[in-house]
Short mmCIF file of all heavy atoms in Angstrom, two decimals:
data_model
loop_
_atom_site.label_atom_id
_atom_site.label_comp_id
_atom_site.label_asym_id
_atom_site.label_seq_id
_atom_site.Cartn_x
_atom_site.Cartn_y
_atom_site.Cartn_z
N TRP A 113 10.38 -19.04 11.31
CA TRP A 113 9.75 -19.80 10.12
C TRP A 113 9.59 -18.70 8.99
O TRP A 113 9.20 -17.54 9.34
CB TRP A 113 8.43 -20.25 10.53
CG TRP A 113 8.45 -21.38 11.53
CD1 TRP A 113 8.63 -21.26 12.84
CD2 TRP A 113 8.33 -22.77 11.28
NE1 TRP A 113 8.54 -22.44 13.43
CE2 TRP A 113 8.39 -23.43 12.53
CE3 TRP A 113 7.99 -23.50 10.14
CZ2 TRP A 113 8.22 -24.82 12.63
CZ3 TRP A 113 7.87 -24.90 10.18
CH2 TRP A 113 8.01 -25.47 11.45
N SER A 133 -1.68 -23.99 -16.28
CA SER A 133 -3.04 -23.55 -16.43
C SER A 133 -3.33 -22.17 -15.78
O SER A 133 -2.77 -21.80 -14.82
CB SER A 133 -3.95 -24.64 -15.68
OG SER A 133 -5.32 -24.16 -15.72
N LEU A 345 5.27 3.93 -2.24
CA LEU A 345 4.15 3.05 -2.40
C LEU A 345 3.07 3.17 -1.33
O LEU A 345 1.91 3.31 -1.57
CB LEU A 345 4.62 1.56 -2.44
CG LEU A 345 5.49 1.24 -3.68
CD1 LEU A 345 5.98 -0.27 -3.51
CD2 LEU A 345 4.70 1.30 -4.99
#
Side-chain angles (χ1 to χ4, degrees):
W113 297 75
S133 169
L345 292 173

